Amino acid sequence: SSDQSRGRFRTAFLPGLLMGAAAGNIASQAGWAGCSRRDRPQQAASASDPPAEVDKAAALPDVVVSPEVSKLEPGDIVVLGPAVPDWRGRSAVVTKSAPSHCTVVVLDASGRMGVGECWPGLSDMKLQSPTLRLGARVVIDGLRAAKTMRLNGFSGSIAPHPREGHPSFVRKPSSPDEAQLTICVVLDDSLAAGQKSVLLEPRFLVAYDDFLSRTSRGLEDAAAVLDDSLGQGEGCCRSGNRAAPAGA
């Protein structure tokens, strides 16, 4: 449709993909050789563009974890394996990728804040989601704040932040000890959106293809409900228009 070609989906009624993840490049002098805990946080970069919205309620998506990893890229969400004893089974976001290993920031239980930094080998991780890779197409969904909800339904591509790179991390003045993962999205229709790009938490970004399929299924379900409603209405009308019995 014309709305889609301009980069906005006006049927953005489905809940956003809860891909919440936040972290910071955090390291300490002590700890396991391949991993560091959040004992002495480093000063994280503060992006000039704050996250569009902050909410304490967030959860990791219920996605299928791939059994093998052949290539990982910055922005990938992974699950750490048994070779990373301190963080076995925890989710993390890839910040740097090398041929044999990656630098990752381990996420807390909410999937938004960083609790440590690791350098696991490729065999020590499983890919959970590639949605946040550079160049990936996404749709904004789930914003509720009055100043930002207008962006719901706009599509764009993930790009490196001009100063902070990808993925980028910010610290809010109200929570200086917490580094929050944010993703820069270059909007397809900057004219309609009123801005060229936006810095958002991952939980407000839905993979483009997933959004299309979910929207399609939602429309099909709505059409089925409408058809059932119309069918019941026609049945009632036919019942009410029956001829009266002879002699009545």
Side-chain angles (χ1 to χ4, degrees):
S1 68
S2 59
D3 286 334
Q4 293 185 16
S5 64
R6 292 199 305 270
R8 184 172 187 181
F9 293 81
R10 298 190 184 279
T11 55
F13 55 86
L14 296 173
L17 182 66
L18 297 179
M19 177 76 65
N25 290 322
I26 303 165
S28 67
Q29 298 298 324
W32 183 62
C35 225
S36 58
R37 288 185 177 276
R38 186 181 162 181
D39 298 325
R40 298 174 58 187
Q42 296 176 349
Q43 180 65 37
S46 297
S48 59
D49 302 317
E53 190 164 324
V54 177
D55 190 338
K56 293 299 182 182
L60 289 172
D62 183 15
V63 298
V64 177
V65 176
S66 65
E68 297 179 357
V69 173
S70 58
K71 182 181 179 181
L72 290 172
E73 300 180 19
D76 284 348
I77 303 297
V78 299
V79 175
L80 301 176
V84 189
D86 284 358
W87 309 113
R88 179 177 181 177
R90 297 290 292 271
S91 293
V93 59
V94 175
T95 57
K96 295 180 181 179
S97 179
S100 61
H101 72 281
C102 291
T103 300
V104 305
V105 172
V106 185
L107 307 176
D108 66 0
S110 73
R112 296 176 60 198
M113 302 299 169
V115 293
E117 190 171 45
C118 291
W119 301 268
L122 293 183
S123 60
D124 301 330
M125 297 174 285
K126 293 182 179 180
L127 178 63
Q128 189 177 41
S129 173
T131 300
L132 304 179
R133 290 182 175 182
L134 287 174
R137 301 271 293 144
V138 294
V139 178
I140 300 172
D141 191 30
L143 293 171
R144 296 182 296 277
K147 293 182 179 180
T148 59
M149 63 185 304
R150 62 183 177 80
L151 295 175
N152 286 330
F154 279 92
S155 61
S157 300
I158 293 178
H161 188 275
R163 289 179 298 277
E164 311 302 340
H166 176 77
S168 57
F169 305 93
V170 299
R171 291 182 186 271
K172 296 184 62 182
S174 58
S175 304
D177 294 333
E178 296 181 342
Q180 185 177 49
L181 172 64
T182 53
I183 302 297
C184 181
V185 178
V186 176
L187 301 172
D188 292 335
D189 190 355
S190 58
L191 184 61
Q195 58 193 88
K196 294 182 178 180
S197 63
V198 62
L199 198 64
L200 293 170
E201 290 187 59
R203 62 199 177 96
F204 299 122
L205 303 176
V206 185
Y208 188 91
D209 290 341
D210 288 347
F211 189 90
L212 287 182
S213 61
R214 292 182 185 186
T215 301
S216 177
R217 288 196 301 269
L219 292 175
E220 290 174 357
D221 292 343
V225 171
L226 181 60
D227 288 342
D228 291 343
S229 178
L230 291 176
Q232 293 176 1
E234 290 177 357
C236 292
C237 291
R238 287 195 299 267
S239 175
N241 291 331
R242 288 178 181 175

